[in-house]
Amino acid sequence: MSKHKFKLLIFDLVFMILLVAADQFTKYIAVLKLKAQPAFGIIDGVLEFNYLENRGAAFGVLQNQKFFFIIVASAFLCVIVYVLFKSPDDKKYTKLHVLLIMIASGAVGNMIDRLRFDFVVDFIYIVLINFPIFNVADMYVTFSTAIMIYQVLFVYQENDFDFLKIRK
């Protein structure tokens, strides 16, 4: 492993720790200030903080499937770690690293909640469109996945992912 690759992976780890810490801090504040309280309006009719203990996945599906979520998240994390280690230390893969770390951070942040509480703390509610209540980790996963899909479809070339091919 080159010195540059090692530094990139250290950056990935530090960035992930910071993102998970930010997610966990916001959830801590939500529990402290919002639990058993009425919704707190940020922008009237648009955005509010509203505490929710989510025992399911996005939109509340698959309620009480803690071990399923932990297994799926662990599998995703293994794939992400594999891709991070296998990716060349070329500058064009920096965005890929950042996006993968954001996805991993979101998965880890919500996994911590599931392991500690048996639910995920959600608290951000977009009233304007009646969007399901979510949290910072969900934003990491959603935004970075959307950007990654764009990158894969319109920026990266087909051979840019040859490093993932299994060699015989």
Side-chain angles (χ1 to χ4, degrees), residues 27-93:
K27 290 173 180 174
Y28 169 77
I29 297 300
V31 170
L32 195 66
K33 299 290 185 182
L34 300 172
K35 187 173 182 174
Q37 299 295 321
F40 179 79
I42 304 299
I43 302 172
D44 192 36
V46 178
L47 177 68
E48 66 184 30
F49 289 153
N50 191 350
Y51 182 83
L52 174 73
E53 295 176 355
N54 184 355
R55 288 173 167 70
F59 310 110
V61 299
L62 298 171
Q63 289 291 312
N64 299 311
Q65 299 297 316
K66 173 183 173 178
F67 293 108
F68 172 76
F69 292 124
I70 290 170
I71 289 168
V72 169
S74 297
F76 271 103
L77 290 170
C78 288
V79 169
I80 288 170
V81 168
Y82 175 80
V83 172
L84 291 173
F85 271 90
K86 293 293 280 183
S87 67
D89 57 357
D90 189 334
K91 187 173 180 155
K92 74 178 173 182
Y93 295 101

Side-chain angles (χ1 to χ4, degrees), residues 9-144:
L9 292 172
I10 294 298
F11 169 80
D12 290 344
L13 181 62
V14 170
F15 185 44
M16 184 170 150
I17 290 169
L18 290 173
L19 289 174
V20 170
D23 169 66
Q24 290 297 298
F25 179 73
T26 60
K27 290 173 180 174
Y28 169 77
I29 297 300
V31 170
L32 195 66
K33 299 290 185 182
L34 300 172
K35 187 173 182 174
Q37 299 295 321
F40 179 79
I42 304 299
I43 302 172
D44 192 36
V46 178
L47 177 68
E48 66 184 30
F49 289 153
N50 191 350
Y51 182 83
L52 174 73
E53 295 176 355
N54 184 355
R55 288 173 167 70
F59 310 110
V61 299
L62 298 171
Q63 289 291 312
N64 299 311
Q65 299 297 316
K66 173 183 173 178
F67 293 108
F68 172 76
F69 292 124
I70 290 170
I71 289 168
V72 169
S74 297
F76 271 103
L77 290 170
C78 288
V79 169
I80 288 170
V81 168
Y82 175 80
V83 172
L84 291 173
F85 271 90
K86 293 293 280 183
S87 67
D89 57 357
D90 189 334
K91 187 173 180 155
K92 74 178 173 182
Y93 295 101
T94 303
K95 287 180 189 170
L96 178 68
H97 274 256
V98 169
L99 295 170
L100 288 173
I101 289 302
M102 289 182 71
I103 292 169
S105 299
V108 168
N110 284 340
M111 189 186 309
I112 289 170
D113 282 13
R114 288 186 200 290
L115 291 170
R116 285 179 63 205
F117 308 123
D118 289 333
F119 57 83
V120 174
V121 173
D122 288 337
F123 60 93
I124 304 168
Y125 178 49
I126 303 174
V127 179
L128 184 65
I129 58 173
N130 194 26
F131 195 78
I133 301 172
F134 57 97
N135 61 44
V136 173
D138 298 336
M139 290 190 303
Y140 296 159
V141 172
T142 304
F143 293 140
S144 54

